[in-house]
Amino acid sequence: MLGKYPAEPFRIKTIEFVKMNTREDRQRIMKEAGYNTFLLNSEDIYIDLLTDSGTNAMSDRQWAGMMMGDEAYAGSRNWFHLESTIKELFGFKYVVPTHQGRGAENLLSKIAIKPGQLVPGNMYFTTTRYHQEANGGIFKDIVIDEAHDSVIDLPFKGNVDLKKLQKLIDENGADKIAYVCVAITVNLAGGQPVSMQNLRETAELCRKHGIKIFMDATRCVENAYFIKEREAGYENKSIKEIVLEEFSYADGCTMSGKKDCITNIGGFLCLNDEDLFTQAKELVVVFEGMPSYGGMTGRDMEAMAIGLKESLQFEYIEHRIKQVRYLGDRLIEGGVPIVMPVGGHGVFLDANRFCSHLPQEQFPAQTLAAQLYIESSVRSMERGIISAGRDIVTGKDHKPKLETVRLTIPRRVYTYAHMDVVANACVDLFKNREKIRGLKWVYEPKQLRFFTGRFEYV
Ligand SMILES: *Cc1c(COP(=O)(O)O)cnc(C)c1O
C-alpha cells in the first residue's frame, strides 16, 4: 500500500492556465447565471468540481493513440481495438458504441422495457430514469434504506435491498419487471459502492425468476477498488479480476466512457443476448451512428480503449480514491457536514445540515453551490430536490432525503493543494452559513431541470 494519501502516480507534461477573479465579479456573474452553476462559463472558474464526467486528463499514450485515429465511416480499426478491449475486460459478448452513457441508456430502455413495466434500481440516476420513464417504464427504488441517510457509515452503502426486490417480485410478478438496473457505484448516494456479495445475491434472485440485470457500469473501476479495500477475500485480487467478476453477474451494462474510461466523450452498451443485440444495432444507426462508431470519432475510440486499460492499474485507482478521501478528511476536520462515508468520485456536502436554517422548498443545496462559487470561485453542483425533478404522474416535486452539493473530482487534473483550497473555502463558508439565502424558481425546465433552470433570491 502506498500510504494514506499517495502522491500522484504521474508527472505533468502539459498545463492549462486558470485565473482567479474577484468576489465582486463572481457576485455579478452568479446572478447573471441565474444561481445555477451549470450556467457559468468555464473561464470564470478557478477550480471546477462540477462533474467528473468528460473532465479527465488523458495520458500521453492516449494522445498518441488519438493521432492513430482511423476516421473511416465504417469498420474503423479503432473500433475493433475498442470492441476487443471491452470484451476482454468486461466479459460481455456484444458491444454497441454510443456518443455517451445516455445514448446507451436510450437504446437499452427502448429494447428492454415494455410500457407499464417496472424498472427496479439501487437509487435513481437522472438520465437513466429519464430514459426508463420516457419508454413507459416505472422506476422503483430498491437501494438499502441507509443509502438515503447522510450520516450512517457503511462500507457498501449502495447495496441492493434484496427484501425490497423480493417484495416487488411477489407483489407484481416477474413478468411485470423489465429488468433490474444495478449502478456500481451509486452516484446520487455519494459514489457509494456495492459489494460483490450483494451483486452475487441480486443475480441469484433475478436468475431464479428469469429477470435480467443490467449494470450502470459508469464507475465500475472505483467500485472494484472499494471491494478490494473492504470485502473479505478480495484483498489479493487485481482490479482487473474484480471488474470482470462484477460483470459476471450481469446480462449487460450501459457505460459512460466519460468517467472510468478516462476520456472526454463516449460510451457504450454491452449485451449477452443476441436478439437484444440485433435490436440495439438497428436502433443505434438511427440515434447514434454506424454500429462501428456510434457517435464517436475513430480517435475517441482509440483513447477510450487505452484509457480503460489505464484505469485498471492499481496505482491510478488508489490515488484517485484517496485524493477524494483527502478532501473529505479535510472537511470533516473543519467540522463541515458531509455524506458519510466518502465515496468514489466526490465529496457531497450535506446541505440539510449545512443550511439548516433553510427549508427544502428554498433549495438549500442549489443556493449553497451558488454561494460556494461566490466565495471561492470553486464550482460544484446541486444534487437534491432540483435534480430529483417532479413525479411523472402527479407532477409534484420528488423530495429526496439527501439534499447535497457535490464536489466532484476530475481524474488526474487537480493536486492535493487544490483540494486544500476547496476545503478551506467550505470551512470558511460553514462558519458564516446563516448568511446563505434561499432561492426560488425564475425558469423551471420540464425535463432534467437542474441543467438549465434559473433562480433568484427569495
Ligand atoms: C454520467 C452518468 C450517466 C450518463 O452518462 P453520460 O455519458 O453523461 O451520458 C449515467 N449513469 C451514471 C451513474 C453517471 O454518472
Side-chain angles (χ1 to χ4, degrees):
M1 287 290 167
L2 296 165
K4 199 165 180 198
Y5 307 122
E8 284 71 19
F10 49 79
R11 56 186 175 190
I12 296 165
K13 187 176 296 203
T14 304
I15 58 122
E16 183 182 355
F17 290 102
V18 286
K19 67 173 199 290
M20 194 64 161
N21 44 15
T22 67
R23 193 174 189 285
E24 288 70 51
D25 290 335
R26 295 193 294 274
Q27 231 158 357
R28 174 184 47 79
I29 290 167
M30 196 71 255
K31 186 163 183 242
E32 283 167 9
Y35 298 95
N36 183 348
T37 52
F38 277 96
L39 301 179
L40 292 171
N41 293 349
S42 167
E43 291 212 318
D44 295 327
I45 293 156
Y46 177 51
I47 298 178
D48 198 349
L49 306 186
L50 182 72
T51 174
D52 64 338
S53 179
T55 52
N56 309 304
M58 294 206 296
S59 67
D60 52 357
R61 290 166 201 203
Q62 285 176 291
W63 281 108
M66 289 195 89
M67 289 304 291
M68 301 297 283
D70 171 2
E71 307 305 339
Y73 189 83
S76 159
R77 78 169 162 261
N78 310 117
W79 160 244
F80 296 117
H81 182 199
L82 178 62
E83 184 190 37
S84 63
T85 304
I86 297 168
K87 283 184 182 175
E88 179 201 329
L89 299 178
F90 284 19
F92 293 112
K93 283 195 195 136
Y94 306 108
V95 187
V96 182
T98 60
H99 76 289
Q100 54 185 84
R102 70 198 70 185
E105 291 168 353
N106 177 39
L107 299 181
L108 179 66
S109 301
K110 282 198 159 48
I111 61 177
I113 300 174
K114 293 194 207 83
Q117 279 189 318
L118 310 179
V119 193
N122 54 343
M123 209 175 245
Y124 85 98
F125 184 73
T126 52
T127 57
T128 318
R129 190 181 69 192
Y130 172 80
H131 284 295
Q132 291 164 355
E133 290 178 344
N135 287 285
I138 302 162
F139 170 79
K140 291 284 173 189
D141 191 0
I142 53 163
V143 78
I144 54 170
D145 284 339
E146 291 87 341
H148 292 281
D149 184 295
S150 67
V151 185
I152 300 172
D153 194 335
L154 284 181
F156 293 105
K157 219 174 156 183
N159 276 357
V160 170
D161 186 330
L162 293 161
K163 286 198 211 79
K164 286 186 191 168
L165 178 55
Q166 182 72 59
K167 191 156 172 270
L168 274 184
I169 299 171
D170 292 344
E171 286 174 356
N172 300 281
D175 292 347
K176 188 84 197 283
I177 295 173
Y179 56 86
V180 173
C181 176
V182 183
I184 52 173
T185 61
V186 183
N187 188 343
L188 276 113
Q192 304 296 340
V194 181
S195 71
M196 199 69 94
Q197 185 185 345
N198 188 253
L199 292 179
R200 198 178 302 126
E201 288 172 358
T202 306
E204 273 165 25
L205 180 56
C206 286
R207 280 183 191 155
K208 202 167 101 193
H209 294 277
I211 301 168
K212 286 194 160 59
I213 296 187
F214 291 106
M215 289 185 187
D216 182 333
T218 300
R219 296 189 175 78
C220 60
V221 182
E222 290 165 12
N223 201 82
Y225 181 83
F226 287 116
I227 288 175
K228 184 175 170 69
E229 183 182 53
R230 299 176 182 174
E231 193 163 349
Y234 289 91
E235 314 72 350
N236 298 320
K237 293 227 154 111
S238 68
I239 299 294
K240 189 175 167 184
E241 287 168 321
I242 297 173
V243 166
L244 199 57
E245 186 179 339
E246 286 175 338
F247 291 126
S248 71
Y249 303 115
D251 298 281
C253 72
T254 55
M255 178 74 175
S256 169
K258 303 173 71 171
K259 281 81 168 223
D260 274 357
C261 295
I262 329 184
T263 50
N264 304 120
I265 194 70
F268 53 84
L269 170 67
C270 291
L271 296 162
N272 279 338
D273 183 288
E274 193 181 352
D275 188 44
L276 285 178
F277 173 56
T278 306
Q279 291 178 51
K281 267 204 300 190
E282 284 169 6
L283 282 178
V284 77
V285 293
V286 181
F287 289 102
E288 308 283 329
M290 280 289 288
S292 61
Y293 75 88
M296 286 182 279
T297 63
R299 51 185 179 271
D300 293 332
M301 294 191 284
E302 190 60 28
M304 189 185 270
I306 298 168
L308 197 50
K309 286 181 215 161
E310 288 179 2
S311 78
L312 298 177
Q313 287 167 7
F314 179 75
E315 291 71 20
Y316 154 75
I317 191 64
E318 155 116 309
H319 168 263
R320 156 91 179 137
I321 300 287
K322 293 200 169 168
Q323 187 185 41
V324 173
R325 195 171 294 165
Y326 173 79
L327 175 59
D329 289 347
R330 291 291 327 274
L331 291 171
I332 295 166
E333 274 163 37
V336 177
I338 62 170
V339 175
M340 294 296 292
V342 173
H345 62 296
V347 178
F348 289 59
L349 303 178
D350 183 349
N352 279 330
R353 283 186 286 151
F354 203 115
C355 302
S356 54
H357 59 295
L358 296 177
Q360 198 168 23
E361 291 70 29
Q362 291 185 18
F363 316 140
Q366 186 73 29
T367 193
L368 176 54
Q371 202 58 39
L372 182 61
Y373 171 73
I374 292 170
E375 296 303 330
S376 62
S377 201
V378 170
R379 171 153 75 169
S380 57
M381 78 149 94
E382 190 260 12
R383 278 297 184 222
I385 188 167
I386 307 293
S387 292
R390 288 178 185 272
D391 187 284
I392 196 161
V393 180
T394 66
K396 290 214 177 84
D397 278 325
H398 288 293
K399 289 193 174 157
K401 266 174 85 182
L402 287 179
E403 179 73 24
T404 64
V405 168
R406 191 178 81 176
L407 301 163
T408 340
I409 317 303
R411 295 170 184 76
R412 307 193 288 209
V413 172
Y414 293 115
T415 64
Y416 287 97
H418 287 114
M419 298 300 112
D420 284 335
V421 172
V422 176
N424 293 341
C426 292
V427 172
D428 286 347
L429 190 54
F430 186 64
K431 287 184 188 139
N432 296 298
R433 58 190 178 278
E434 324 75 48
K435 293 198 195 118
I436 300 174
R437 294 161 67 188
L439 294 173
K440 61 182 183 198
W441 286 109
V442 173
Y443 159 60
E444 182 186 348
K446 287 199 187 64
Q447 269 100 34
L448 301 176
R449 58 189 186 174
F450 55 95
F451 282 133
T452 54
R454 300 185 72 87
F455 305 83
E456 63 187 18
Y457 285 125
V458 171

